[in-house]
Amino acid sequence: MKTHRAMRASSALPALALLISTGAFAAGGDLGQAVKQPTNWTAIGMFVVFVIGTLFITKWAAKKTKSAAAFYTGGGITGFQNGLAIAGDFMSAASFLGISAAVYSSGYDGLIYSIGFLVGWPIITFLMAERLRNLGRFTFADVAAYRFKQGPIRAFAASGTLVVVAFYLIAQMVGAGQLIKLLFGLEYWVAVVIVGALMMVYVLFGGMTATTWVQIIKACLLLGGASFMAFMVLAQFHFSPEQLFAKAVEVHAKKDSIMSPGNFIKDPISAISFGIALMFGTAGLPHILMRFFTVPNAKEARKSVFWATTWIGYFYILTFIIGFGAIVLVSTNASFQDGSGKLLGGVNMAAVHLASAVGGNVFLGFISAVAFATILAVVAGLTLAGATAVSHDLYATVFKQGQASGAMELRVSKITTIILGIVAVVLGIVFEKQNIAFMVSLAFAIAASANFPVLLMSVFWKDCTTRGAVIGGFLGLISSVALTIVSPAVWEATLGHPTGSALFPYASPALFSMTIGFAGIWLFSILDNSARAKKDRGGFLSQQVRSETGIGAEGASGH
């Protein structure tokens, strides 16, 4: 097809989608550079329309963002809108590409990503959502620090947030540069600068309100594009999934095995650790948790999770159909393959090739523009979470001990946004040729090992103390980083040590580092007999009453 020139890439690109996927847990080879392609004006034109529309939204949101509270939470957001925004924050374009590619390569086993993500949401629904909204105002640190000494616990929470945000942001920026270079034909550094600049505009001027609506629009575009693609695939098989699967088994090199588990992760320890990071990491991601403070009450928070789970579940069902559709329509079409019979641009381009196959150049341009829009939505949410951690948790609460004015807090938020944006752009350019797949893996592992244990234990265990939460949390954070460094993903693939020399043999450290985090919280809490510990334990009852009833919770006016 005439669009295929704009999709050719170096053989290094198979790791690209996993890089910026929310489910990137396996390290690939060094990314190298995507080959710059002829400019795809259709994709650029559609993206410009998206940018112009979202800039108008930002202008409107700026009129409503005059206080720190409005900057952090927006206000006037319903549970349905927030659920769609959460889905927009959570579904990356590359998770769309990565999961489709996993299904394209391994069939049934590709669902391990989506199942891992989905089973994390009931944890948030039944354990966290209502309590988060009743106890907190702006960040998850408000919840964790409810009955503890403010300084130490907020210093830990801000540290965990910033580390997660940093690794996530770098991966998103590098992925953005390589993906846009491939699909749009732009220079790598230009793509990174565009993403960084637009992200700063959304957050600086529109705060949570603009970020929310960017995420809502992006979610609708991504869901619409994926729905159309799945519809066009099923239409060729009389809307019979059975016929689609039968044809896929017939043409796939692995034949019947693509309908059975066992092709993806064969080591049970890695599989368990992988699943733990996906499930509990989701419940510890600061930019996701922050969204529960944008709604007026606990009822709307529960609605948020319900709708987010609905849209995310629907999206991952679509990626399964798209993956099998690519097996049938892409792998059998020689025009999508290079001279050696391999897919142009690697397996992670399967969904992009399928877009061209079912919708031609216009639909290919649409999917390319949605990919860029998706990255913008994700980095805006991450940046806002990082800026809020610095201004609200560190500056206002730790340094100013609650005495900072709203105007100064807002100013610090905006300064932090600019700094985070510049740092993200610089690091995105510096890391251009590095294998950074492990960074997203590390973000999930840290969220599962540090943020989630502290959040859970502080809310549900009456004997948890400030000392236990801070020491255990930092142990989870440090161990997850350390084990990742000595894992094959970094020790061998990035640092260049010989194969088989990694000190930690598994893909994800979450099984071990989360255990260390929980054990640390428990041990140092039961050993803590200080006066502060007695006060911490004594505050549990009032915390429990507020978390379960909402009596005394911040109302919508507080937003």
Side-chain angles (χ1 to χ4, degrees):
M1 293 194 177
K2 61 184 179 180
T3 59
H4 293 166
R5 286 187 309 156
M7 295 187 291
R8 296 179 186 273
S10 68
S11 60
L13 270 174
L16 174 60
L18 288 181
L19 261 193
I20 46 177
S21 165
T22 47
F25 281 86
D30 192 333
L31 277 178
Q33 286 186 291
V35 177
K36 182 176 177 292
Q37 301 303 309
T39 304
N40 186 333
W41 290 110
T42 304
I44 290 175
M46 291 185 178
F47 179 69
V48 168
V49 171
F50 170 83
V51 169
I52 291 173
T54 52
L55 287 177
F56 273 109
I57 289 173
T58 304
K59 182 180 178 182
W60 162 75
K63 298 176 182 178
K64 302 176 65 176
T65 309
K66 301 299 184 184
S67 67
F71 183 83
Y72 298 146
T73 64
I77 299 171
T78 67
F80 175 78
Q81 292 168 342
N82 197 45
L84 197 52
I86 291 172
D89 210 355
F90 196 71
M91 302 180 304
S92 75
S95 110
F96 162 56
L97 298 178
I99 293 171
S100 301
V103 175
Y104 176 83
S105 300
S106 303
Y108 177 89
D109 262 4
L111 279 179
I112 191 170
Y113 282 118
S114 49
I115 295 301
F117 291 132
L118 284 176
V119 297
W121 286 100
I123 297 170
I124 298 178
T125 304
F126 296 111
L127 290 182
M128 311 302 298
E130 184 173 351
R131 291 173 173 84
L132 279 169
R133 182 59 195 85
N134 285 338
L135 292 173
R137 290 188 67 202
F138 304 134
T139 68
F140 89 92
D142 290 337
V143 180
Y146 182 84
R147 59 188 169 103
F148 297 151
K149 187 175 181 180
Q150 297 295 302
I153 195 70
R154 286 187 185 273
F156 156 73
S159 300
T161 295
L162 290 172
V163 172
V164 170
V165 166
F167 285 115
Y168 226 135
L169 265 181
I170 293 171
Q172 292 287 341
M173 298 302 280
V174 173
Q178 299 290 8
L179 191 62
I180 302 314
K181 185 174 170 182
L182 172 71
L183 295 176
F184 284 19
L186 299 175
E187 292 287 351
Y188 175 86
W189 71 269
V190 173
V192 171
V193 170
I194 289 173
V195 171
L198 286 172
M199 167 259 286
M200 283 190 278
V201 169
Y202 294 147
V203 177
L204 274 176
F205 297 103
M208 179 58 86
T209 301
T211 300
T212 296
W213 284 102
V214 168
Q215 289 164 345
I216 289 173
I217 293 171
K218 164 255 164 157
C220 293
L221 291 175
L222 186 58
L223 288 167
S227 297
F228 176 78
M229 203 182 301
F231 177 87
M232 294 300 288
V233 167
L234 288 174
Q236 300 194 33
F237 295 91
H238 309 290
F239 297 97
S240 169
E242 184 179 0
Q243 291 184 28
L244 171 63
F245 297 153
K247 184 65 175 178
V249 168
E250 178 186 329
V251 302
H252 200 283
K254 296 178 181 178
K255 300 301 179 183
D256 288 344
S257 70
I258 66 169
M259 299 306 293
S260 305
N263 291 318
F264 199 59
I265 294 182
K266 295 179 172 60
D267 170 25
I269 300 297
S270 288
I272 293 170
S273 194
F274 176 92
I276 284 175
L278 283 177
M279 287 188 291
F280 300 112
T282 300
L285 291 174
H287 62 295
I288 298 295
L289 296 176
M290 188 178 177
R291 294 221 56 90
F292 293 106
F293 307 120
T294 64
V295 291
N297 52 52
K299 180 181 178 182
E300 294 300 311
R302 289 194 301 273
K303 280 186 182 179
S304 298
V305 187
F306 169 78
W307 283 112
T309 307
T310 300
W311 297 123
I312 293 167
Y314 172 66
F315 173 72
Y316 287 136
I317 290 171
L318 295 179
T319 60
F320 194 56
I321 296 170
I322 289 166
F324 273 93
I327 292 174
V328 175
L329 301 177
V330 174
S331 68
T332 58
N333 190 331
S335 62
F336 293 110
Q337 300 166 10
D338 60 20
S340 63
K342 294 181 179 179
L343 204 62
L344 291 172
V347 293
N348 283 323
M349 293 301 292
V352 176
H353 290 309
L354 184 63
S356 179
V358 302
N361 190 48
V362 173
F363 189 56
L364 172 66
F366 174 80
I367 290 296
S368 301
V370 168
F372 210 167
T374 292
I375 293 167
L376 275 179
V378 174
V379 297
L382 287 166
T383 304
L384 187 58
T388 305
V390 171
S391 61
H392 179 61
D393 294 330
L394 291 181
Y395 173 75
T397 309
V398 177
F399 299 142
K400 291 294 185 177
Q401 298 182 342
Q403 301 303 310
S405 66
M408 276 305 299
E409 200 172 330
L410 182 59
R411 185 179 179 187
V412 172
S413 293
K414 295 193 172 186
I415 292 172
T416 306
T417 298
I418 294 171
I419 294 172
L420 281 173
I422 293 171
V423 169
V425 169
V426 171
L427 290 179
I429 293 172
V430 168
F431 278 84
E432 177 183 359
K433 298 181 182 180
Q434 297 300 310
N435 172 7
I436 50 89
F438 69 91
M439 288 185 177
V440 173
S441 165
L442 186 53
F444 266 78
I446 291 170
S449 307
N451 297 351
F452 176 69
V454 169
L455 199 57
L456 191 72
M457 298 289 265
S458 67
V459 172
F460 289 98
W461 189 36
K462 67 181 179 64
D463 290 326
C464 188
T465 68
T466 301
R467 183 184 300 172
V470 172
I471 295 177
F474 273 115
L475 284 174
L477 190 158
I478 294 167
S479 62
S480 58
V481 174
L483 290 175
T484 300
I485 291 173
V486 297
S487 72
V490 181
W491 192 256
E492 297 170 13
T494 303
L495 299 180
H497 289 92
T499 301
S501 65
L503 303 178
F504 180 72
Y506 304 113
S508 172
L511 174 62
F512 305 92
S513 54
M514 191 173 83
T515 301
I516 291 171
F518 272 112
I521 295 171
W522 173 79
L523 178 63
F524 288 98
S525 290
I526 63 170
L527 295 178
D528 187 2
N529 295 313
S530 64
R532 178 70 234 184
K534 293 178 182 177
K535 188 174 182 181
D536 293 339
R537 294 178 181 118
F540 178 77
L541 183 59
S542 63
Q543 175 187 275
Q544 186 178 35
V545 169
R546 174 161 160 175
S547 71
E548 294 182 2
T549 66
I551 296 173
E554 291 285 341
S557 60
H559 292 251

